[in-house]
Amino acid sequence: MAKNISTVTPEALDDLRKDGHPIELIDVRTPAEYRECHATPARNVPFDSLDPKTIMASRNGSHKNPLYIICQSGTRAQKACEKFYTLGHTQIVNVVGGTQAWQEMGLPVVRGKKVLSLERQVRITAGILVLTGALLGWIIHPAFIGISAFVGAGLAFAGITDSCGMGMMLAKMPWNQISQECENGQRSD
């Protein structure tokens, strides 16, 4: 299924936008990541609340036009595209390299409050848990080493399946959400 998903470079997508083609770009990162920096034409629909049926129903007759999906580097966008393809929607396009590539090309972005990326949050949390398990195992009781083993197994599973449970949990934390007032006051066009 993933082999059939179309891709576009940030430059090519921006050229389409400049040429007046209708661009519907969905950013599937967390609201906090989106608020920090996003491609100018993007609107935020976080991956964990992405409902392809609702999005397609709200497109008001523009089903024939491509729907572009972007994230930080391309992984979440690829998974989001697969959700649409599973339901038979084939006019879905993954923006290669994501927002990171968009910025590196010097394309227009909206900047807001700086946040820790979800990837960094996962690394920090995993590191703290492994260190805590090792220290508790050494100081209090060897059974606490199980904490480190559990985190290690989770990281291995995440690498094999390309799905991170810790990342999904962290994405729902309050610091990765934004209040409705901030969201309404933030321009994304």
Side-chain angles (χ1 to χ4, degrees):
M1 186 72 67
K3 295 176 187 161
N4 299 331
I5 294 174
S6 300
T7 60
V8 66
T9 65
E11 273 184 320
L13 183 59
D14 193 54
D15 287 344
L16 288 171
R17 182 186 65 83
K18 288 177 187 172
D19 290 342
H21 294 278
I23 301 297
E24 187 174 358
L25 178 62
I26 294 177
D27 189 325
V28 295
R29 296 176 302 152
T30 67
E33 289 174 303
Y34 175 82
R35 182 179 59 186
E36 179 182 347
C37 179
H38 62 270
T40 301
R43 71 179 168 104
N44 189 223
V45 180
F47 182 78
D48 65 342
S49 62
L50 183 70
D51 180 9
K53 289 179 184 177
T54 303
I55 290 171
M56 295 310 281
S58 71
R59 294 192 73 202
N60 296 329
S62 63
H63 291 101
K64 295 194 190 305
N65 294 332
L67 175 62
Y68 300 95
I69 311 289
I70 193 168
C71 64
Q72 184 61 27
S73 63
T75 303
R76 283 178 275 180
Q78 177 72 24
K79 289 179 181 181
C81 289
E82 290 170 3
K83 280 185 170 187
F84 283 94
Y85 267 73
T86 299
L87 297 175
H89 304 293
T90 57
Q91 290 293 320
I92 310 301
V93 183
N94 185 3
V95 180
V96 177
T99 303
Q100 184 176 340
W102 186 279
Q103 288 180 85
E104 288 170 0
M105 299 284 177
L107 301 174
V109 296
V110 176
R111 294 194 186 275
K113 184 179 175 188
K114 182 90 172 132
V115 298
L116 280 177
S117 72
L118 197 55
E119 183 180 333
R120 282 187 65 198
Q121 291 179 48
V122 167
R123 290 189 305 225
I124 291 167
T125 303
I128 289 170
L129 288 171
V130 168
L131 179 61
T132 300
L135 288 174
L136 290 174
W138 181 48
I139 297 169
I140 297 179
H141 191 277
F144 281 107
I145 293 175
I147 296 171
S148 300
F150 179 74
V151 172
L155 291 172
F157 179 79
I160 292 167
T161 64
D162 200 21
S163 175
C164 182
M166 186 183 297
M168 288 187 281
M169 286 190 323
L170 286 170
K172 295 178 189 269
M173 292 293 122
W175 58 84
N176 284 322
Q177 306 302 313
I178 56 175
S179 69
Q180 197 64 29
E181 301 94 47
C182 290
E183 190 173 352
N184 291 338
Q186 189 74 24
R187 287 187 49 108
S188 62
D189 50 41

